[in-house]
Amino acid sequence: MKNIIIAIDGYSSCGKSTLARQLAKELNYHYVDTGAMYRAVTLYLIQNQIDIHHPEMVANVLNQISIAFDFDEATQTQITLLNGENIENQIRINPRVASAVSDVSALSEVRRFLVKQQQELGKNKGIVMDGRDIGTVVFPTAELKLFITAEASIRANRRLEELKEKGQNTTYEEVLANLAKRDHIDTTRADSPLVKASDAIEIDNSNLSKDEQLDQVLKLVKGLQMNGNG
Ligand code: DC
């Protein structure tokens, strides 16, 4: 069967990465979490005290940033490396990253820098990539485009659980407010705002279990592969 590109877009904390990871495992595809790449750039800018409100200063340091992914077989998780250092934990729990990442990802210089790398990662297909602009900008010709949504309260609760599991002490209200802020910036920025591609299939997973969602999507993938569209 031919390899295809699966592009998954949607709001923050909709379970995109869970679905992407499941699909990659099931299909033996590579998974790329593009949000992690924007988080890695954000962490670098924070660590090096680069003012994100000066795009020219940000642009000047991008060539010092190298992002790579490793896979931890023991825990079956992807590890993001920034200039060779494992930053997976930091980019997930550092509140400064969470609050600055949407502003950083609104910068055209940063987007151009990362989109080029994402396109390179997908050039051999056999890839599941999740983010906000994958079906619209990174891979506009992807064979399968999914747009994932879920109710805001459900997303906030899921994110709260995730943070608690990682030992972060936060409240439902804080998480909900952070999600609302990120959604607003992601959907209203001038460069590649989050929008559903016209040919994307929308899945609202508010009332779906992870496995039900996976089954639905696997049927779509199999259909594409059998029809020879892959
Ligand atoms: O998916 P995430 O929450 O890890 O994404 C972090 C931020 O990066 C989010 O505010 C949106 C932005 N992002 C983006 O603009 N484009 C992508 N392809 C992926 C993420």
Side-chain angles (χ1 to χ4, degrees), residues 22 37 68:
Q22 286 174 308
M37 300 172 84

Side-chain angles (χ1 to χ4, degrees), residues 34-35 38-39 101-102 105 111 131-133 182 186 189:
T34 62
Y38 287 93
R39 287 168 184 266
V101 67
S102 284
S105 59
R111 303 205 71 82
R132 305 294 188 288
D133 59 342
R182 286 207 280 153
D186 294 345
R189 67 178 175 226

Side-chain angles (χ1 to χ4, degrees), residues 7-189:
I8 305 182
D9 290 304
Y11 298 97
S12 298
S13 296
C14 273
K16 298 186 298 293
S17 57
T18 304
L19 172 65
R21 225 176 276 126
Q22 286 174 308
L23 281 172
K25 190 165 175 227
E26 225 21 77
L27 301 166
N28 205 13
Y29 276 18
H30 289 294
Y31 163 51
V32 177
D33 171 359
T34 62
M37 300 172 84
Y38 287 93
R39 287 168 184 266
V41 169
T42 305
L43 181 67
Y44 182 89
L45 300 175
I46 292 171
Q47 284 174 338
N48 292 278
Q49 293 164 20
I50 309 293
D51 185 348
I52 63 169
H53 300 104
H54 286 97
E56 68 289 353
M57 284 169 129
V58 173
N60 277 340
V61 297
L62 290 176
N63 63 0
Q64 298 167 18
I65 301 177
S66 153
I67 301 168
F69 295 107
D70 219 347
F71 191 72
D72 182 7
E73 292 291 342
T75 55
Q76 288 281 303
T77 50
Q78 177 191 270
I79 293 167
T80 311
L81 304 172
L82 169 61
N83 294 334
E85 188 199 342
N86 178 348
I87 52 153
E88 189 58 35
N89 218 26
Q90 287 186 68
I91 57 171
R92 304 296 166 194
I93 65 172
N94 185 333
R96 291 182 66 197
V97 172
S99 66
V101 67
S102 284
D103 285 328
V104 171
S105 59
L107 300 174
S108 296
E109 292 80 358
V110 173
R111 303 205 71 82
R112 273 200 299 273
F113 174 69
L114 292 181
V115 166
K116 217 162 85 190
Q117 295 178 34
Q118 291 154 8
Q119 288 170 335
E120 187 64 26
L121 287 168
K123 70 173 194 252
N124 294 327
K125 304 204 174 192
I127 197 156
V128 189
M129 195 173 276
D130 77 345
R132 305 294 188 288
D133 59 342
I134 312 305
T136 50
V137 176
V138 182
F139 294 119
T141 59
E143 289 82 355
L144 180 60
K145 298 181 187 178
L146 302 172
F147 191 83
I148 311 294
T149 65
E151 284 161 27
S153 59
I154 291 178
R155 293 161 53 206
N157 272 318
R158 286 178 186 160
R159 178 90 185 119
L160 186 64
E161 279 312 303
E162 211 177 277
L163 288 170
K164 278 190 179 158
E165 273 168 27
K166 291 185 170 142
Q168 284 298 99
N169 190 15
T170 179
T171 64
Y172 172 82
E173 286 72 24
E174 272 174 358
V175 172
L176 190 66
N178 179 262
L179 285 182
K181 183 183 151 216
R182 286 207 280 153
D183 287 351
H184 178 73
I185 302 176
D186 294 345
T187 51
T188 57
R189 67 178 175 226

